[in-house]
Amino acid sequence: MSIAIRSAQFGGLLQAIACLGAAASLPAAAADWSDTSISWRYGTNFREPYVNRSDGSAQNISKNIVNLQHTSGYKYGVNWASVDLLMSDHNDPASCTNFNCTGSAHEAYVLYRNHIEWGKVFPDRQLKLPGIKDVALTLGFDWNTKNDAGYSSKKRMFVWGPTLELNVPGYMNVGLYGLNESNAPCTTFPPAVVGYPPNACYDRYSYKTHAMLSSSWAIPIPVGGLPLSYEGYLNYIAPKGSNEFGGSTRAEINWDSQIMLDVGALTGGSKGTFKLGIEYQYWRNKFGNDHNGGAGPGAFARTTMVRAEYHF
């Protein structure tokens, strides 16, 4: 991969951090409340589409992931921003020129969501629905950059649609969203592996507008007096038409959840400050790639992680 491409992708990582900082600072001046956290998680059985062993079996990848997250309430709703910095081992290489694979891929993934809540915009017209705390209009985006050999993703995705905020301990949201996604990949993989020319970058390609059914939650589950919580999200993403190389896409399921122990509260310290837990991710047809097709078993991951989280 050329020095120019690598420099651009390193710049993209810095842009990711800047995006989160900008998103987090928007509500800060007028925030009613806020929470910022940094976390680390690690697992050894991540997978990536098209990254498979020579015999066609799945190639497990180890990753360290550092996350910075900010949530805040403001006059009309809630802002949420998150950036993951994902650092793979050598099994997810940064370059594979002429079948010589070297380096380890790095990725930045940024999400931003703004929930504009009916009850805050129209306080004198509160909705009274069984089991529903409020209804919101959600607007946001996903943005990523990665320097891997096979795809070098530069995802840009706009998200919009209604969200139901359920009346449960902690919180649980369920939303139905429209997605507009595009990408402009580059590759150093040999053409026999991915089916298109190596050492090439492609013009930005827009997928078909498609839907996502999504839920996120953080619910206390005290067991034996322990301050535990069950947290996570579940996304079902509909097929998004043909990909940039003319192949079909598949429905995608991404379920990621964790059991977290509030260590601070357990040891008599500040509640909700330091948490430890176990996380599990089930990701079928990752990014819409068919795990029974050309992407192979790399498009289907079942990943167990350890997780540590500090709130400030």
Side-chain angles (χ1 to χ4, degrees):
M1 187 176 289
S2 71
I3 294 174
I5 292 174
R6 285 186 178 277
S7 298
Q9 289 169 336
F10 178 74
L13 295 179
L14 298 180
Q15 291 176 35
I17 297 171
C19 283
L20 177 64
S25 65
L26 287 174
D32 298 328
W33 56 268
S34 67
D35 176 69
T36 302
S37 66
I38 186 168
S39 66
W40 164 81
R41 57 195 193 271
Y42 173 77
T44 60
N45 51 350
F46 289 91
R47 293 181 183 174
E48 294 292 343
Y50 295 97
V51 181
N52 303 298
R53 297 179 185 273
S54 57
D55 63 1
S57 62
Q59 174 65 71
N60 287 331
I61 300 165
S62 295
K63 292 188 184 186
N64 284 280
I65 305 174
V66 177
N67 173 266
L68 181 63
Q69 184 170 297
H70 176 86
T71 310
S72 59
Y74 70 107
K75 183 177 181 180
Y76 298 116
V78 175
N79 276 287
W80 179 76
S82 171
V83 60
D84 277 325
L85 299 179
L86 304 96
M87 295 159 280
S88 300
D89 69 3
H90 66 280
N91 289 320
D92 186 14
S95 176
C96 276
T97 304
N98 297 323
F99 290 93
N100 179 30
C101 294
T102 60
S104 301
H106 290 73
E107 178 182 7
Y109 200 108
V110 178
L111 297 97
Y112 172 74
R113 301 289 186 268
N114 183 1
H115 301 281
I116 304 170
E117 298 174 333
W118 175 278
K120 290 186 175 180
V121 177
F122 303 106
D124 56 344
R125 301 180 187 176
Q126 296 287 334
L127 297 175
K128 297 182 179 180
L129 302 171
I132 305 299
K133 187 183 299 183
D134 208 344
V135 176
L137 172 64
T138 296
L139 304 171
F141 65 84
D142 289 23
W143 180 101
N144 98 316
T145 182
K146 186 176 180 181
N147 70 340
D148 62 307
Y151 193 76
S152 290
S153 177
K154 301 174 188 67
K155 180 178 179 178
R156 310 290 183 263
M157 186 171 77
F158 295 100
V159 181
W160 74 96
T163 298
L164 298 179
E165 299 177 357
L166 305 186
N167 191 10
V168 299
Y171 83 88
M172 184 174 189
N173 295 339
V174 178
L176 180 61
Y177 306 126
L179 307 178
N180 279 106
E181 180 183 348
S182 68
N183 216 311
C186 295
T187 182
T188 64
F189 269 5
V193 176
V194 293
Y196 53 92
N199 302 312
C201 294
Y202 295 82
D203 293 335
R204 181 156 294 278
Y205 175 86
S206 295
Y207 302 98
K208 179 181 177 181
T209 298
H210 53 292
M212 174 172 70
L213 180 62
S214 178
S215 179
S216 61
W217 60 86
I219 300 173
I221 50 168
V223 177
L226 293 175
L228 295 168
S229 61
Y230 178 51
E231 307 172 10
Y233 63 86
L234 173 63
N235 295 332
Y236 174 84
I237 304 175
K240 49 191 175 184
S242 298
N243 63 30
E244 51 268 64
F245 312 112
S248 59
T249 59
R250 294 289 184 266
E252 176 182 355
I253 299 175
N254 185 1
W255 169 48
D256 191 311
S257 62
Q258 57 264 9
I259 301 292
M260 300 298 291
L261 173 66
D262 190 336
V263 177
L266 183 66
T267 58
S270 299
K271 181 180 179 181
T273 300
F274 180 61
K275 298 180 179 181
L276 288 174
I278 299 295
E279 184 169 353
Y280 177 78
Q281 184 178 54
Y282 173 99
W283 201 339
R284 179 186 174 95
N285 295 334
K286 187 172 184 177
F287 299 129
N289 292 283
D290 186 359
H291 77 282
N292 288 318
F300 192 175
R302 304 172 185 86
T303 309
T304 302
M305 294 164 266
V306 293
R307 182 182 181 107
E309 186 175 293
Y310 178 71
H311 293 251
F312 55 95

